[in-house]
Amino acid sequence: MNNPAFATHRKIGGDLEVSRMGYGAMRLTGQPGNWGPYPDPEAARTVLRRAVAIGINLIDTAHAYGAGYNEGLIAEALHPYDANLVITTKCGLTKMGPGIAYRDGRRKAIRTGCEASLSHLRLERIDLLQLHWVDEDTPIEETVGALAELVKDGKVRHVGVSNVTLDELERARSVMPIASVQNRFSFADRSQMDIVRYCIEHDITFFPYGPLDGNPAKIGAPLADQTGVLAAEAAKRSCTPSQFALAWLLALSPVIVPIPGTRSVAHLEENAAALKVQLTQADAAAL
Ligand SMILES: NC(=O)c1ccc[n+]([C@@H]2O[C@H](COP(=O)([O-])OP(=O)(O)OC[C@H]3O[C@@H](n4cnc5c(N)ncnc54)[C@H](OP(=O)(O)O)[C@@H]3O)[C@@H](O)[C@H]2O)c1
């Protein structure tokens, strides 16, 4: 049974209901450099279909993953989509080759990126479009203004931001409501705690990316647990260190929706079962 202390769902922007445990699809692309198709597309489709089958209704991707291939793979595996499936994607980062990308937050790039995502995902409207990275050469107000236009045009339902500072988040919120923030955050890496606190205070959905401290440059690297705390806490609760790391995020606040990434069905199922780990908000805060 799931831990009753964990809300099982979160409403992004107040009305877009997603499972508390999402799935990050980024790793289902060609490596190294997150470029081109995943070498075993049937295995990738199996992971995506299994995620939906076990009740995960949130899949996170980006146009830059692949580039375009990750979104296309999701459509191949899951289209026509279940009515409650939420696919979140990102714009504002143009990928040119393996590991080569540049940020472009100009209005034209945001509109072009949105059209490309709509086409790859075979959607009429994107439920949540996130600004992948802030382009330092374009005022964030211009970029978010372009996203607001896409909402008015009916092409996007909610807007989120990623890899932002507090100042950038506040500037974005001065233009339009920001439904979500996606920054790096995990048990092992709490450098973005100020943003997490801000999201909790303002009831903004927070997607911690790299929730298992995954690093795209270290494919398949094990979870960092230099102090052994994860292993010890996991042993106390008869769960795995990965499950404990995810449960810690779930327990911290109901605004937090982890999006762990994996290429393996076994890890996918293990991660989803983190919802069962017995951990209270007070325990999580104490750790
Ligand atoms: N906004 C951004 O700039 C940004 C940047 C990075 C990521 N993201 C998003 O965040 C998602 C997750 O990030 P991430 O994939 O970099 O990091 P992560 O979820 O922290 O870690 C993924 C890594 O952990 C391994 N793993 C997963 N489950 C495991 C388990 N139960 N036991 C042991 N190892 C396990 C995976 O290997 P296996 O494949 O072998 O399971 C993979 O190497 C991405 O898919 C993407 O949607 C966003």
Side-chain angles (χ1 to χ4, degrees):
M1 197 186 82
N2 287 347
N3 179 350
F6 298 158
T8 53
H9 288 82
R10 164 77 186 164
K11 284 189 177 166
I12 300 173
D15 63 3
L16 186 60
E17 188 162 276
V18 295
S19 48
R20 263 322 272 305
M21 187 66 74
Y23 172 68
M26 179 186 77
R27 294 188 182 250
L28 302 179
T29 53
Q31 298 294 344
N34 201 340
W35 180 254
Y38 188 66
D40 185 349
E42 192 45 45
R45 287 191 286 267
T46 301
V47 172
L48 287 161
R49 290 178 185 140
R50 187 68 190 144
V52 173
I54 62 174
I56 292 174
N57 83 328
L58 166 68
I59 297 182
D60 183 70
T61 180
H63 188 66
Y65 301 162
Y69 274 104
N70 198 251
E71 292 177 328
L73 178 75
I74 291 168
E76 270 172 45
L78 302 174
H79 193 275
Y81 302 120
D82 287 355
N84 72 342
L85 182 67
V86 172
I87 301 169
T88 59
T89 190
K90 310 185 194 82
C91 62
L93 185 68
T94 305
K95 192 111 184 176
M96 304 297 287
I100 306 165
Y102 68 92
R103 304 174 193 184
D104 192 343
R106 291 173 294 177
R107 178 178 177 275
K108 190 174 170 205
I110 296 301
R111 293 190 73 85
T112 310
C114 175
E115 290 302 335
S117 289
L118 284 167
S119 155
H120 281 96
L121 287 167
R122 300 185 219 163
L123 285 170
E124 299 289 315
R125 183 176 70 160
I126 295 167
D127 278 332
L128 176 73
L129 183 59
Q130 305 155 97
L131 173 62
H132 205 149
W133 284 89
V134 176
D135 167 11
E136 283 159 5
D137 296 326
T138 308
I140 192 167
E141 289 81 0
E142 176 183 331
T143 307
V144 177
L147 288 160
E149 276 178 24
L150 291 167
V151 173
K152 279 204 193 95
D153 294 350
K155 291 177 187 276
V156 169
R157 185 162 163 187
H158 289 293
V159 166
V161 291
S162 177
N163 297 297
V164 285
T165 62
L166 259 187
D167 177 57
E168 288 162 347
L169 175 54
E170 289 193 320
R171 285 171 62 190
R173 291 185 76 218
S174 72
V175 178
M176 69 177 301
I178 297 297
S180 68
V181 173
Q182 186 174 138
N183 277 21
R184 191 169 184 87
F185 186 73
S186 64
F187 187 84
D189 180 353
R190 303 181 194 184
S191 50
Q192 309 273 321
M193 194 51 126
D194 57 342
I195 298 272
V196 178
R197 284 204 189 95
Y198 184 96
C199 289
I200 293 171
E201 194 184 324
H202 294 88
D203 197 28
I204 297 169
T205 299
F206 182 79
F207 300 114
Y209 79 67
L212 297 168
D213 202 29
N215 180 338
K218 292 190 262 163
I219 300 296
L223 186 62
D225 187 19
Q226 279 147 357
T227 58
V229 176
L230 280 175
E233 293 296 330
K236 278 190 217 164
R237 294 167 177 86
S238 306
C239 67
T240 66
S242 297
Q243 287 174 326
F244 180 79
L246 295 170
W248 179 79
L249 291 165
L250 293 168
L252 267 190
S253 164
V255 309
I256 298 180
V257 179
I259 46 168
T262 180
R263 298 152 296 173
S264 126
V265 167
H267 282 168
L268 174 80
E269 292 176 351
E270 178 185 329
N271 296 343
L275 282 156
K276 299 182 201 298
V277 174
Q278 294 305 306
L279 184 69
T280 64
Q281 196 169 28
D283 290 340
L287 285 160

